[in-house]
């Protein structure tokens, strides 16, 4: 990657972050309020009736909700922003008329998704720590999982946004694919509590590996941290390549 | 500066560009004139690297656009037909973030953004959003944005479409200024008058094919009669003698009697004066109308129909 390519990636990243900061009041509401609602309603309300053994339900739930935050702040924002850039204000075409390569633009969007997910995660971790006294364990290790998962979901956001021609379909895909992922991938209930036939499918989804990894870091329950991380990174790379392929196909006719 | 050879672009069964050839010289305003759907924007998109040709070549400053897209884009500024500005950012930020993609230093870029806003006379609107500007201001801004990287070649896709006549004339002044700054301009338009006034040379394109190319005057000369002199006078006073004299005059292509007088077709402006002198001195004239042929007439002549 040469200097020009790095400058392009940073230019796209900076622009996306500038927009993000311009809408900080809206983003802050989403960052703080939404995950806390889940923690309070499910964790502290419903959670009092759930027996998780030697940990409280809210302690079990917090690492899962953290990765729901990561998903929302990478997949949702990047897919929406890219679709707006392509179909609504059409700034994507304009970016492509500059001396840049398509994959540099994609990389810029993914970096922005990772940064936004990381910022949202830090806010969530601090809120949960100071409000409920729940710790997430080794933070540097957790950050690796957050970055890898955010990169995966940002790449998925690129691939899906560019694959779909109709903006309305983005909501359908989100409702039918991404939302169920949140419910099944071990965020609210352990994967082992799901029907046996579906468990291998759920275990194969990178989000499950991320939630299990985060829970292991917080609660010390899973010894396969490195394997989980590598698994997520392999999927990230594969989805990134698919995203680039669809992006090129759609923007350069 | 731009050389296009046997360029073809197919979309499935449909051929949008059908083996076109043209060359744009350094420092000229070259017009691509044709109706909607003629293949103008497709050609521009290929030059801008937004579309790949099905066959043929497009060369910009010696480099093939498909083999060296980055090198070609460095020399290009493009004002696309869609305004494509980020509606959430003000116009200054929009220019800044577009300029950032050209790898300029921040200091240099900020200076160029201010220069571009000043050039487009929009320096007092820098905090406005794009949709808050008038149509004319928007088009000026789009052209100014194309100049941010100080490119040698500027591509303008339908730069005045949808503008009122006053705003259109204003944008023309800015396009002429680009030429004065030494830029090479390739513009597409479906306005005959625009092509006639702005362009040094014009290619007329229809159904993906170039059907004529030349200066506006050269194109008008394709027609048999350059200038029509329509003189209103009492037809009864036109003697056969006058008609014969006119027909014998060098440069006169035809003489026809009309309901209100006489119509004379002549080759060029120098003959007009001669014709008028010969009639005015001998007759009482009610009115004179001198009609120069337009590119519309040329298009009609070449295609057998008016521009769609």
């Amino acid at each position: 990657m040469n200097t020009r390519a790095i400058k392009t990636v940073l230019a796209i990243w900076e622009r996306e972050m500038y927009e993000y900061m311009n809408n900080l009041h809206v983003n802050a509401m989403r960052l703080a309020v939404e995950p806390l609602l889940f923690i309070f309603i499910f964790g502290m309300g419903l959670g009092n009736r759930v027996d998780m053994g030697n940990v409280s339900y809210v302690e079990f739930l917090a690492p899962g909700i953290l990765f729901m935050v990561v998903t929302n702040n990478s997949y949702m924002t990047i897919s929406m922003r890219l679709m707006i850039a392509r179909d609504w204000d059409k700034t994507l075409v304009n970016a492509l008329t500059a001396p840049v390569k398509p994959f540099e633009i994609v990389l810029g969007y993914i970096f922005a998704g990772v940064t936004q997910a990381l910022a949202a995660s830090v806010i969530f971790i601090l809120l949960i720590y100071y409000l409920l006294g729940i710790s997430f364990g080794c933070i540097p290790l957790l950050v690796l999982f957050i970055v890898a998962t955010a990169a995966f979901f940002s790449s998925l956001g690129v691939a899906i946004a560019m694959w779909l021609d109709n903006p309305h379909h983005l909501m359908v895909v989100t409702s039918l694919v991404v939302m169920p992922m949140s419910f099944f991938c071990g965020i609210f209930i352990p994967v082992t509590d799901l029907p046996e036939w579906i468990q291998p499918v759920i275990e194969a989804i990178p989000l499950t590996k991320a939630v299990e990894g985060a829970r292991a870091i917080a609660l010390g329950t899973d010894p396969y941290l490195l394997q989980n991380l590598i698994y997520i990174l392999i999927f990230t790379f594969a989805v990134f390549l698919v995203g680039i392929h669809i992006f090129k196909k759609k923007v350069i006719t | 500066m731009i050389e296009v050879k046997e360029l073809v672009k197919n979309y499935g069964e449909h051929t949008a560009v059908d083996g076109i050839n043209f060359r744009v010289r350094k420092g000229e305003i070259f017009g691509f004139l044709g109706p909607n759907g003629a293949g103008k924007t497709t050609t521009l998109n290929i030059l801008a690297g937004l579309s790949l040709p099905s066959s043929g070549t497009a060369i910009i400053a010696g480099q093939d656009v498909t083999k060296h897209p980055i090198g070609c884009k460095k020399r290009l500024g493009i004002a696309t037909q869609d305004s494509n500005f980020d509606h959430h950012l003000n116009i200054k930020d929009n220019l800044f973030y577009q300029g950032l993609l050209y790898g300029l230093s921040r200091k240099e870029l900020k200076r160029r953004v201010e220069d571009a806003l000043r050039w487009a006379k929009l320096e007092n609107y820098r905090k406005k959003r794009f949709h808050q500007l008038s149509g004319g201001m928007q088009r000026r801004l789009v052209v100014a944005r194309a100049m941010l990287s100080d490119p040698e070649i500027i591509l303008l896709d339908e730069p005045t479409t949808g503008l009122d006549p006053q705003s259109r004339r204003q944008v023309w002044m800015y396009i002429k200024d680009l030429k004065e700054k030494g830029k090479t301009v390739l513009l597409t338009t479906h306005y005959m008058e625009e092509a006639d006034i702005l362009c040094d040379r014009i290619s007329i394109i229809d159904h993906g094919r170039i059907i004529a190319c030349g200066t506006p005057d050269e194109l008008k000369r394709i027609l048999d009669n350059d200038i029509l002199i329509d003189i209103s006078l009492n037809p009864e006073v036109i003697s056969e003698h006058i008609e014969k004299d006119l027909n014998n005059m060098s440069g006169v292509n035809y003489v026809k009697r009309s309901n209100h007088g006489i119509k004379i077709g002549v080759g060029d402006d120098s003959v007009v004066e001669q014709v008028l002198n010969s009639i005015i001195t001998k007759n009482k004239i009610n009115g004179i109308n001198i009609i120069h042929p337009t590119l519309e007439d040329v298009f009609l002549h070449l295609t057998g129909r008016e521009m769609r």
Side-chain angles (χ1 to χ4, degrees):
Chain A
M1 216 176 182
N2 57 26
T3 316
R4 185 201 52 73
I6 293 167
K7 279 184 175 177
T8 303
V9 174
L10 291 177
I12 297 287
W13 173 83
E14 185 181 327
R15 187 197 138 104
E16 286 306 302
M17 292 312 294
Y18 183 74
E19 286 252 2
Y20 186 77
M21 296 307 283
N22 268 354
N23 295 301
L24 196 60
H25 55 295
V26 179
N27 290 324
M29 288 280 285
R30 203 185 64 203
L31 293 180
V33 177
E34 200 180 270
L36 284 183
L37 272 176
F38 277 105
I39 289 290
F40 284 114
I41 293 170
F42 286 94
M44 302 179 79
L46 196 67
N48 289 335
R49 296 168 181 270
V50 180
D51 178 19
M52 298 299 297
N54 53 359
V55 291
S56 69
Y57 184 63
V58 74
E59 283 174 306
F60 170 85
L61 189 64
I65 297 295
L66 171 66
F67 276 84
M68 194 187 234
V69 168
V70 171
T71 308
N72 285 346
N73 283 277
S74 49
Y75 169 80
M76 298 277 253
T77 47
I78 292 310
S79 59
M80 195 59 85
R81 285 286 304 156
L82 207 48
M83 210 162 231
I84 289 171
R86 188 190 66 184
D87 295 334
W88 176 244
D89 56 31
K90 298 187 168 64
T91 47
L92 194 56
V93 167
N94 222 40
L96 285 158
T97 61
V100 302
K101 289 182 178 170
F103 100 92
E104 296 156 4
I105 294 178
V106 170
L107 213 51
Y109 272 98
I110 291 172
F111 272 14
V114 170
T115 312
Q116 289 168 22
L118 202 53
S121 302
V122 169
I123 291 169
F124 179 75
I125 289 168
L126 290 174
L127 279 172
I128 295 299
Y129 181 75
Y130 284 109
L131 291 176
L132 304 174
I134 296 174
S135 154
F136 286 83
C138 177
I139 297 297
L141 202 52
L142 189 63
V143 166
L144 287 179
F145 271 88
I146 291 170
V147 169
T149 311
F152 171 77
F153 278 102
S154 298
S155 305
L156 192 67
V158 171
I160 290 177
M162 296 310 292
W163 172 55
L164 298 173
D165 289 323
N166 186 338
H168 297 109
H169 294 169
L170 185 63
M171 296 310 292
V172 177
V173 172
T174 304
S175 305
L176 294 180
V177 179
V178 182
M179 276 285 282
M181 251 196 232
S182 305
F183 289 115
F184 286 111
C185 293
I187 290 176
F188 293 98
I189 44 172
V191 177
T192 46
D193 285 4
L194 294 171
E196 256 181 47
W197 63 269
I198 204 173
Q199 284 183 24
V201 179
I202 300 299
E203 282 288 354
I205 299 171
L207 181 60
T208 311
K209 305 287 184 199
V211 173
E212 283 175 354
R215 204 162 274 145
I217 293 165
L219 308 173
T221 54
D222 192 323
Y224 303 112
L225 284 179
L226 189 63
Q227 286 93 323
N228 281 8
L229 191 62
I230 291 169
Y231 187 90
I232 298 166
L233 287 173
I234 291 169
F235 265 76
T236 302
F237 187 63
V239 176
F240 174 72
L241 292 181
V242 172
I244 295 274
H245 176 72
I246 301 173
F247 185 90
K248 272 189 189 168
K249 220 173 160 185
K250 285 291 173 81
V251 295
I252 300 178
T253 54
Chain B
M1 286 301 269
I2 302 175
E3 196 174 354
V4 168
K5 285 181 193 164
E6 297 299 326
L7 196 69
V8 175
K9 179 66 187 178
N10 299 315
Y11 292 106
E13 298 279 295
H14 173 66
T15 302
V17 174
D18 194 3
I20 61 169
N21 296 281
F22 65 91
R23 185 180 284 191
V24 181
R25 296 173 193 144
K26 190 174 167 52
E28 74 174 341
I29 300 182
F30 188 90
F32 233 42
L33 176 67
N36 294 330
K40 307 186 296 290
T41 300
T42 306
T43 307
L44 232 61
N45 282 345
I46 292 171
L47 291 172
L50 296 172
S51 193
L52 295 172
S54 303
S55 66
T57 53
I59 311 283
I60 290 176
Q63 296 190 87
D64 190 309
V65 292
T66 52
K67 289 177 189 151
H68 307 282
I70 300 287
C72 290
K73 285 180 187 179
K74 277 183 184 169
R75 290 164 176 265
L76 281 183
I78 180 163
T80 51
Q81 207 170 332
D82 288 321
S83 298
N84 50 36
F85 270 69
D86 190 323
H87 298 288
H88 299 104
L89 298 181
N90 64 39
I91 60 169
K92 181 178 77 75
D93 288 341
N94 260 294
L95 293 188
F96 179 81
Y97 285 111
Q98 178 64 20
L100 213 50
L101 294 170
Y102 286 83
L104 301 166
S105 73
R106 280 166 190 277
K107 196 178 164 193
E108 173 65 10
L109 180 56
K110 281 179 183 167
R111 189 186 64 76
R112 288 200 194 185
V113 167
E114 287 305 318
D115 285 351
L117 288 171
R118 210 172 303 121
W119 180 77
K121 294 195 170 54
L122 293 170
E123 62 268 45
N124 296 327
Y125 298 85
R126 56 165 70 79
K127 296 282 178 194
K128 296 276 183 197
R129 308 280 169 94
F130 184 73
H131 64 268
Q132 292 171 312
L133 304 180
S134 70
M137 288 174 171
Q138 288 183 346
R139 295 315 297 173
R140 267 150 50 198
L141 184 64
V142 170
V143 178
R145 184 176 58 183
M147 286 176 63
L148 264 183
S149 60
D150 195 22
E152 295 157 69
I153 305 163
I154 296 188
L155 309 180
L156 304 173
D157 195 8
E158 306 270 359
T160 65
T161 296
L163 294 184
D164 59 80
Q166 195 188 352
S167 304
R168 179 172 299 150
R169 279 171 198 283
Q170 263 189 359
V171 173
W172 289 351
M173 300 293 288
Y174 284 88
I175 295 172
K176 282 180 182 170
D177 192 50
L178 294 178
K179 181 182 160 76
E180 277 168 28
K181 285 177 186 297
K183 308 290 181 196
T184 303
V185 180
L186 170 57
L187 71 86
T188 72
T189 183
H190 60 262
Y191 296 124
M192 309 281 180
E193 189 193 1
E194 181 164 288
D196 202 352
I197 290 174
L198 288 177
C199 300
D200 298 303
R201 289 191 307 131
I202 298 165
S203 267
I204 297 180
I205 183 167
D206 190 35
H207 295 305
R209 290 184 174 184
I210 290 177
I211 51 176
C213 186
T215 66
D217 283 341
E218 281 169 354
L219 290 174
K220 287 172 198 167
R221 258 180 246 137
I222 292 172
L223 300 173
D224 294 336
N225 304 303
D226 270 351
I227 303 162
L228 173 70
I229 309 168
D230 190 359
I231 301 173
S232 297
L233 73 170
N234 185 354
E236 287 165 17
V237 304
I238 305 169
S239 63
E240 281 186 15
H241 179 67
I242 294 176
E243 242 183 299
K244 199 177 169 189
D245 277 357
L246 285 169
N247 266 323
N248 288 337
M249 208 177 275
S250 156
V252 170
N253 294 323
Y254 68 85
V255 179
K256 280 182 193 165
R257 289 188 185 223
S258 68
N259 293 337
H260 58 271
I262 192 164
K263 285 185 174 183
I264 306 140
V266 299
D268 59 70
D269 283 311
S270 62
V271 188
V272 175
E273 198 181 336
Q274 239 179 303
V275 169
L276 291 178
N277 280 337
S278 75
I279 294 191
I280 288 168
T281 51
K282 295 169 191 164
N283 299 284
K284 187 175 174 289
I285 307 290
N286 296 329
I288 300 171
N289 196 9
I290 299 169
I291 305 160
H292 284 80
T294 63
L295 290 173
E296 182 84 47
D297 300 323
V298 178
F299 189 82
L300 188 67
H301 174 80
L302 292 170
T303 63
R305 58 186 164 76
E306 290 184 351
M307 185 98 86
R308 296 190 292 274

